[in-house]
Amino acid sequence: MFDKLALLGFGDGGWGLALLQGAGITIAIALATLPFGLLLGLIVALGKRSENIVLRWLATVYTTVFRGVPELLTLYIIYFGIQIVLQQAWISLGLPGNFSMPPFVAGMVALGVVLSAFSSEVWVGALNSIQKGQREAAAALGLSKGQAFRLVVFPQLIRVALPGLGNNWMVLLKETSLVSVITLPDIMFITTRANVATKEPFLFFGAAMLIYLFFSLISAWGVGRLEIRANRGFATFGGATR
């Protein structure tokens, strides 16, 4: 029993350091993907609420595609497909050497576009909850549309959207395991290699489960704190927020 646990240690023959580095890669790609995906999702949401029918159509097609296609397939298309296209463009421009998309960038882009498709629905729901009078009042005060959105709409938007975005983050955290298929050394990549080398699947996959669970618990606590902070100054009376 103790011999098996030693495989998780940091000494000779232990995989502890590799698992720690894999956990760092997992958190790094999740944190890199989050702002990219949420910002793109907000842009898509604004497109879906645009008065321009073309923008609304493009935003709807975007969310339909990336919500309907499996995340793993999206990852393969971006890592292999987009890389081939860019390589051909690289050659056609006569540039020296070869173009190679780093796995980290491919993973971030793939997870980011999927996150943006799902988070756009959260943003749309939050935008619909902001009364039109808020913007009209901002315009009456002489604020531009950009200033009204930044100073009046966005602070309220975050408060309403935060629970849904928190769920998106939790899903993203688990979906980072997909990047192991493009040889990015995250938790799943390291545990799979450790299993092959030691023939101890229960030990290493169990360790991976505990690491993901730890990240999820910390995330749930953090999102809860953010929700409390975002709702400061708002009180609920009889089911209505004032």
Side-chain angles (χ1 to χ4, degrees):
M1 178 64 179
F2 290 105
D3 291 340
K4 291 184 178 181
L5 290 178
L7 294 173
L8 299 175
F10 294 88
D12 293 338
W15 289 81
L17 181 59
L19 287 172
L20 190 61
Q21 292 171 338
I25 293 294
T26 293
I27 287 296
I29 195 169
L31 291 177
T33 301
L34 186 65
F36 167 65
L38 293 187
L39 179 59
L40 184 56
L42 179 57
I43 293 172
V44 172
L46 292 174
K48 295 183 77 170
R49 298 181 78 254
S50 172
E51 297 177 357
N52 188 311
I53 189 172
V54 176
L55 289 178
R56 291 203 307 271
W57 182 80
L58 289 174
T60 300
V61 169
Y62 179 91
T63 55
T64 300
V65 169
F66 288 111
R67 291 177 68 196
V69 174
E71 290 85 346
L72 183 59
L73 181 56
T74 301
L75 180 61
Y76 280 144
I77 289 173
I78 290 176
Y79 183 61
F80 295 109
I82 301 300
Q83 187 164 214
I84 292 173
V85 172
L86 293 177
Q87 176 64 29
Q88 293 299 320
W90 189 274
I91 295 173
S92 65
L93 291 173
L95 297 174
N98 296 316
F99 177 86
S100 179
M101 180 180 289
F104 188 96
V105 174
M108 186 191 76
V109 173
L111 295 176
V113 295
V114 174
L115 173 62
S116 67
F118 283 94
S119 66
S120 67
E121 299 300 316
V122 177
W123 288 121
V124 168
L127 285 166
N128 290 338
S129 71
I130 307 298
Q131 297 180 359
K132 186 178 180 180
Q134 299 277 345
R135 300 179 182 83
E136 294 174 346
L141 292 172
L143 298 179
S144 66
K145 288 185 177 181
Q147 290 174 323
F149 183 82
R150 179 170 58 88
L151 300 175
V152 178
V153 176
F154 191 70
Q156 300 179 69
L157 192 65
I158 286 293
R159 182 180 64 84
V160 177
L162 195 54
L165 297 180
N167 288 334
N168 289 156
W169 161 256
M170 299 291 280
V171 173
L172 169 65
L173 195 59
K174 292 181 290 185
E175 287 181 346
T176 57
S177 62
L178 296 175
V179 299
S180 62
V181 301
I182 56 173
T183 69
L184 193 64
D186 71 324
I187 295 173
M188 286 305 301
F189 183 84
I190 298 298
T191 51
T192 300
R193 286 186 59 191
N195 169 51
V196 171
T198 64
K199 304 298 188 294
E200 292 290 346
F202 183 79
L203 176 67
F204 285 101
F205 291 132
M209 179 190 69
L210 292 177
I211 293 172
Y212 280 112
L213 182 59
F214 173 74
F215 287 158
S216 296
L217 291 173
I218 293 296
S219 297
W221 176 83
V223 171
R225 298 301 300 175
L226 288 175
E227 288 183 19
I228 292 173
R229 182 176 180 82
N231 283 288
R232 289 184 306 173
F234 290 85
T236 302
F237 300 95
T241 303
R242 300 180 181 179

